[in-house]
Amino acid sequence: MAKETKKSFASLPKPIDLTAPDAPEGAKRGRRNVPEFDAVPVGMPRENAETRRIPPPPPPPLRPGDFPKKRRPSKSAPPPRLRPRRKNRLIQRLIGFRINPLILSVVGWSVAGIAIIAFSVWFIRGLLVDNAYAVFLDGEHVGYIAIFEGLTSEDFHNEAVLSLEAIHRNVRVRVDQRVTIERTRTAARNREARGDIIARINHHGFTFTIAAHAIYVNGVQEALLSTQSDLNHVEFMLQEHWRNEHTVSAEFVGNWEVRTMYVCPDETEFDTPDSAYFRLDRSTMQLADYTVVSGDTLDRIAVHFGTTTTRIMEDNNMQTANIWPGDTLLIYTQMPLLSVRTFDEIHDDEAIEAPIENRYNVDMPLGTRTVIQDGMAGLARVTERITRINGVEQSREILEAEVVVEPIPDIVEYGVGE
């Protein structure tokens, strides 16, 4: 049997002190500082016990008709301590002064009101105001496009026609349909791009004819070209034979005519510029009139026209080869199908003879002569226009004569005295 040992007072738990501790310095006045006690099971050390906070007792129940009364502070009680002032926010620090909360509230509500009004106006406008154009081709609906300020039916029709001309190498077209637009409302998913609507009209809507250029020579159609650029190229190549470095312009003589006609591009065969050029650049036997100018000889004229001296003499019933300026010769030779008249401008410098000024002096013996001043010729720049047909000069005209250097006269003095 184990021996019982006596327990000393030191091993027993310390008694609980129920006296109120002294209030620490700086505690609130008028209120007791009651320590919080924990319930510790008997016989268990405080260090190992689980602490549990004891809740305060519930308030007494109120009867019907009773209301809790506010506790009025006593006159002797000190005023309540105010909360510490908060530091300024970042915006207030930046602007340097404290913003009144009332002003912030008013501004915030004003901004919110304006936003609500703007959203309402936008929403009502979307419900009531037109937001698209309906496109029609001869009254048949094609699609919808977005609203464009200032867009009219005429502008949209012309834009579609220009797009059609660009597709067909910038030819001039004539369409039989009419494109119109009307303001309407539709959902955004129904609206298409402007270019897509125009492309649909060009490929599946328009029936058109193009302006072709027919070339007639002596009343006979020789070529049919589809564009103006092709026509300009053929004209330049035909005139290039007779141009030189002084040529300013050229034209076809008499038998050249260009007519514009509208044809269906799918049913018409057009000439290329090269085929039209070779067809128009051929020669034919023609009888030409030639006027003899100064310096011409019969051999020179024959070489120029690609014939012989004998053939020229036979055609003109000439007995000798003598010719004079102003004579007209009939020359039957190979001539180009198209006659080209060129205009050349030549700038040439010509000398101006020095004038002679005669003076008479009674103090000099009769029959004597004295040169007082030696003269010097001047210089003039002359602009002439020369007209040629198929390279043969027809006329010459002075357009302008500008004196560059004035001539200095010769002054000669003659004696008429005794």
Side-chain angles (χ1 to χ4, degrees):
M1 185 172 180
K3 188 177 181 179
E4 294 182 359
T5 59
K6 293 183 179 181
K7 295 182 179 181
S8 64
F9 289 98
S11 61
L12 296 177
K14 292 183 179 181
I16 300 173
D17 189 9
L18 298 179
T19 61
D22 296 334
E25 187 176 349
K28 294 182 179 180
R29 297 169 59 184
R31 182 180 176 182
R32 290 186 64 184
N33 293 325
V34 180
E36 297 179 357
F37 299 96
D38 297 333
V40 180
V42 178
M44 183 178 293
R46 186 179 180 86
E47 291 80 9
N48 300 329
E50 295 181 358
T51 60
R52 182 171 59 88
R53 189 181 183 89
I54 300 175
L62 296 177
R63 291 180 298 176
D66 293 344
F67 296 94
K69 296 182 180 180
K70 281 188 176 181
R71 183 178 180 181
R72 296 182 180 179
S74 62
K75 295 183 180 180
S76 62
R81 186 176 180 182
L82 299 177
R83 296 177 61 184
R85 184 176 179 181
R86 298 179 63 183
K87 294 183 179 180
N88 294 337
R89 297 181 181 179
L90 178 60
I91 300 178
Q92 297 174 358
R93 293 178 183 178
L94 291 178
I95 61 179
F97 61 90
R98 184 177 180 83
I99 301 176
N100 193 333
L102 179 61
I103 297 177
L104 283 176
S105 176
V106 172
V107 172
W109 281 107
S110 300
V111 172
I114 294 173
I116 294 173
I117 294 173
F119 177 78
S120 302
V121 172
W122 172 81
F123 183 75
I124 296 173
R125 183 177 180 273
L127 293 177
L128 302 179
V129 180
D130 297 336
N131 61 355
Y133 283 122
V135 183
F136 298 91
L137 180 64
D138 277 353
E140 182 179 354
H141 182 258
V142 178
Y144 298 98
I145 60 174
I147 286 287
F148 291 91
E149 293 297 332
L151 183 64
T152 62
S153 297
E154 188 69 23
D155 296 337
F156 195 75
H157 175 82
N158 294 338
E159 185 176 349
V161 172
L162 290 176
S163 176
L164 182 63
E165 291 179 349
I167 294 174
H168 295 274
R169 297 176 53 206
N170 295 323
V171 300
R172 189 154 51 96
V173 302
R174 182 174 63 186
V175 297
D176 302 327
Q177 291 86 357
R178 193 70 185 173
V179 180
T180 57
I181 58 175
E182 295 180 3
R183 297 177 71 97
T184 185
R185 286 204 76 261
T186 186
R189 62 179 179 273
N190 297 332
R191 295 195 293 266
E192 301 180 55
R194 194 165 169 176
D196 295 340
I197 293 291
I198 292 177
R200 186 185 308 164
I201 293 173
N202 291 338
H203 288 91
H204 306 289
F206 276 147
T207 58
F208 62 95
T209 55
I210 70 172
H213 306 279
I215 301 175
Y216 287 80
V217 178
N218 297 325
V220 179
Q221 180 176 331
E222 297 289 347
L224 183 64
L225 302 172
S226 59
T227 63
Q228 183 67 38
S229 59
D230 291 346
L231 176 63
N232 296 338
H233 179 72
V234 172
E235 288 182 354
F236 180 81
M237 293 300 295
L238 291 171
Q239 296 170 1
E240 185 66 18
H241 295 295
W242 314 109
R243 292 176 178 267
N244 56 54
E245 58 181 354
H246 303 293
T247 302
V248 294
S249 63
E251 63 183 12
F252 295 105
V253 180
N255 50 5
W256 167 274
E257 182 184 2
V258 178
R259 301 176 188 174
T260 301
M261 57 182 65
Y262 286 91
V263 298
C264 182
D266 299 331
E267 302 175 1
T268 307
E269 294 183 0
F270 297 101
D271 295 308
T272 63
D274 293 337
S275 63
Y277 166 72
F278 287 116
R279 190 179 305 163
L280 296 168
D281 195 38
R282 65 182 187 273
S283 300
T284 58
M285 293 299 296
Q286 298 180 14
L287 186 63
D289 294 338
Y290 177 74
T291 302
V292 180
V293 296
S294 179
D296 279 345
T297 62
L298 208 58
D299 294 336
R300 181 179 174 183
I301 296 173
V303 171
H304 178 76
F305 284 97
T307 184
T308 61
T309 305
T310 305
R311 181 64 183 271
I312 295 176
M313 294 178 62
E314 291 177 357
D315 294 339
N316 292 273
N317 297 324
M318 297 173 60
Q319 302 298 326
T320 61
N322 297 328
I323 54 176
W324 289 268
D327 291 346
T328 301
L329 300 177
L330 297 177
I331 302 176
Y332 192 73
T333 182
Q334 285 281 348
M335 297 290 291
L337 180 64
L338 292 172
S339 296
V340 178
R341 180 186 291 115
T342 58
F343 300 94
D344 303 338
E345 289 187 5
I346 299 177
H347 304 279
D348 193 11
D349 294 336
E350 296 183 358
I352 303 176
E353 294 183 1
I356 299 175
E357 181 180 344
N358 296 325
R359 297 180 182 180
Y360 301 96
N361 190 350
V362 295
D363 296 333
M364 293 176 59
L366 182 63
T368 58
R369 175 178 177 274
T370 303
V371 177
I372 298 177
Q373 175 179 291
D374 292 330
M376 185 177 65
L379 184 65
R381 180 158 297 170
V382 180
T383 302
E384 292 184 318
R385 171 176 289 180
I386 302 174
T387 304
R388 294 185 175 93
I389 295 180
N390 295 339
V392 179
E393 183 176 336
Q394 303 295 317
S395 63
R396 187 181 291 257
E397 176 186 4
I398 297 179
L399 298 179
E400 184 181 3
E402 180 184 1
V403 177
V404 180
V405 178
E406 293 286 346
I408 299 176
D410 284 326
I411 301 176
V412 180
E413 192 173 50
Y414 294 93
V416 291
E418 297 179 356

